[in-house]
Amino acid sequence: MKEDDWDDFQTWSQLFDVLCKRDGHYDNASLASEYCNHVGKNGRDNFDAIQKNLRSWRLGRHLPLRRNMMVLAKLLDVERDPCLNNRWMHLYAVARGEPAMEPAMQQEDAGRQPVAAAEPAKRRRPIWHWLAIGALATGTGFTFDFAVDRWAFKKLPMIGYDARVRMVVGESRLIHGDRGDCDGRPPDWYYTLPRVPVSALGTFSDGGLARKMSNFCNRVVEVRAVRFTATDAGMEEIRLLDDFMKIEVTGAGHPRQE
């Protein structure tokens, strides 16, 4: 594309998708492989997770963290074209709700020494910044909001992935969870639903928010839970959220609800 064409893109995800196609990444497998090699995480779980994230980033459903964005910029050789790099950084800042980044400011993320520039305009501080300063000034500390968030997080139900699920007719249980980015919010149900199969033994539904151990993130993260309600006895193998699972439902026992 010509240099002037980069200004035609109005969203970061749209620009990212076009750059992927420009480099021949019409699906996400090859780019996911390059990404894993670059960050030194080559396990199957890592590959599947980044492939899922790439799909989400290209569709504009989520935005990568800044460090992930910089890796993508290197893999797509964004910095080679100054006009492209400026547009890339500008649209990313807009997507995050930040002031547009000036070229001199972009170099901080790229690992270069910032060049001398006129004093930038003052950025508007988020409200939590001033609340934290106020709390610190009064000697109360500024961990209150974080403590509240942590408390709410711990109140969420904990689920795990089990390749073999045993249930009885009438039982309803959270059996899996769909995460977003490691430090981001979990996806909405409309994004999770396309990777939820149809079952002859029961029904899948939105289980709300929950917690789940993520091997990719190497910690417990917030997820969109998937609930299964068993209605018929039998056994079947399914693929749920890109993971294989065997469900066995029996007709005996006492139904339990979660």
Side-chain angles (χ1 to χ4, degrees):
M1 299 182 67
K2 295 183 298 183
E3 291 183 355
D4 293 343
D5 293 338
W6 301 127
D7 290 337
D8 293 338
F9 294 97
Q10 300 302 312
T11 65
W12 183 89
S13 60
Q14 181 189 33
L15 177 58
F16 175 47
D17 183 58
V18 167
L19 293 178
C20 289
K21 294 175 181 176
R22 181 196 67 174
D23 287 5
H25 301 299
Y26 291 96
D27 60 22
N28 297 309
S30 59
L31 185 56
S33 179
E34 291 182 18
Y35 187 100
C36 288
N37 288 334
H38 185 87
V39 299
K41 294 184 177 181
N42 295 308
R44 180 66 192 185
D45 289 343
N46 303 129
F47 175 81
D48 291 341
I50 191 57
Q51 197 172 21
K52 170 186 168 183
N53 283 342
L54 288 171
R55 179 170 61 248
S56 175
W57 297 338
R58 291 176 72 166
L59 292 174
R61 290 169 175 163
H62 296 93
L63 194 67
L65 297 176
R66 190 174 298 277
R67 61 175 178 267
N68 297 334
M69 179 272 289
M70 297 306 297
V71 171
L72 295 174
K74 290 182 180 298
L75 295 177
L76 297 173
D77 207 12
V78 171
E79 295 178 357
R80 182 178 60 181
D81 183 340
C83 292
L84 169 59
N85 186 54
N86 288 344
R87 192 62 178 169
W88 171 275
M89 299 300 291
H90 169 80
L91 292 177
Y92 182 80
V94 170
R96 287 174 58 91
E98 301 173 348
M101 297 182 69
E102 298 297 332
M105 296 169 61
Q106 296 171 13
Q107 297 184 27
E108 179 183 353
D109 287 304
R112 299 188 293 264
Q113 293 297 323
V115 298
E119 182 179 354
K122 291 184 178 179
R123 293 191 180 184
R124 192 178 202 177
R125 296 289 187 180
I127 184 64
W128 61 261
H129 173 85
W130 300 114
L131 290 174
I133 292 178
L136 185 61
T138 58
T140 61
F142 56 93
T143 61
F144 176 75
D145 288 339
F146 299 100
V148 170
D149 289 343
R150 189 64 183 168
W151 178 84
F153 177 76
K154 287 188 174 183
K155 296 291 287 184
L156 296 175
M158 185 72 180
I159 59 176
Y161 166 70
D162 191 345
R164 192 166 189 172
V165 177
R166 295 182 175 90
M167 301 176 65
V168 298
V169 173
E171 184 178 354
S172 182
R173 190 193 311 169
L174 304 180
I175 63 172
H176 211 340
D178 191 19
R179 70 167 182 84
D181 294 340
C182 292
D183 297 316
R185 296 284 296 172
D188 293 328
W189 178 246
Y190 79 89
Y191 172 70
T192 301
L193 186 59
R195 292 179 297 122
V196 175
V198 175
S199 172
L201 306 181
T203 58
F204 292 98
S205 61
D206 182 3
L209 298 180
R211 295 178 296 148
K212 180 175 178 288
M213 179 63 193
S214 169
N215 292 329
F216 180 78
C217 303
N218 198 32
R219 59 183 171 84
V220 176
V221 297
E222 193 173 1
V223 297
R224 172 64 55 183
V226 178
R227 177 180 294 277
F228 183 74
T229 302
T231 58
D232 295 279
M235 181 177 65
E236 67 178 353
E237 294 183 353
I238 62 170
R239 186 179 176 91
L240 175 61
L241 303 182
D242 303 321
D243 290 322
F244 288 102
M245 181 179 292
K246 178 182 287 187
I247 297 181
E248 299 179 24
V249 180
T250 61
H254 298 284
R256 112 181 141 175
Q257 300 286 326
E258 284 187 353

